Amino acid sequence: MSRTDMPVVRTGIDLIEINRLGDMKPAVRARFVRRVFTPAELEDAGDSIASLAGRFAAKEAVAKALGSGIGSVRWQEIEIRRGVEGAPSLTLHGTARQVADSLRLVEWSISITHTATHAAAVVVALGDAAGGTSA
């Protein structure tokens, strides 16, 4: 197998203190939440700050796997929803999808975990050296 035939593998990880969101003043948190999360993500999370923190960590981890960070890719272009049986599910939009396509990433696996004080997320993206489309 030549180097150009090898599968593409990208990873990302992030950890956040849950109280970073919980300790925000309500008006600041409201602006932050509207800027970072899609309406569907907010519906999935309900009133759970821990759930929002987990999604935030997952968005950061996805941006790291894309190699772009947040900037050229916007927060709401990375959408983390509750999937089958509650497992996290990823949908990429706009520039995030274009970056994933250019990297030939076709499969994503996301894991989110919480403690009383922290939320963490790990993502693994797999791609085909021959090409493909993103999640």
Side-chain angles (χ1 to χ4, degrees):
M1 179 181 298
S2 74
R3 184 157 172 79
T4 59
D5 294 334
M6 294 179 65
V8 176
V9 178
R10 306 285 297 234
T11 62
I13 185 169
D14 197 65
L15 174 71
I16 182 173
E17 294 176 1
I18 294 171
N19 68 3
R20 273 186 63 196
L21 298 179
D23 290 347
M24 287 179 177
K25 292 180 181 178
V28 173
R29 183 173 44 235
R31 280 193 308 274
F32 173 81
V33 164
R34 280 192 308 272
R35 183 171 52 94
V36 172
F37 301 102
T38 67
E41 288 173 315
L42 294 173
E43 182 178 329
D44 284 353
D47 293 332
S48 173
I49 297 295
S51 185
L52 289 176
R55 279 179 172 74
F56 182 82
K59 287 173 180 264
E60 285 276 11
V62 169
K64 290 172 183 175
L66 290 172
S68 64
I70 298 298
S72 63
V73 170
R74 296 179 183 179
W75 291 112
Q76 291 195 19
E77 293 176 339
I78 301 169
E79 188 172 44
I80 310 295
R81 298 289 315 275
R82 185 174 295 131
V84 176
E85 298 182 20
S89 170
L90 172 67
T91 302
L92 298 175
H93 306 281
T95 303
R97 179 176 209 97
Q98 292 169 1
V99 171
D101 286 347
S102 73
L103 294 169
R104 299 182 297 271
L105 302 175
V106 296
E107 270 314 302
W108 289 83
S109 178
I110 302 172
S111 182
I112 300 173
T113 191
H114 307 87
T115 67
T117 59
H118 290 81
V122 175
V123 302
V124 177
L126 301 175
D128 179 0
T133 58
S134 70

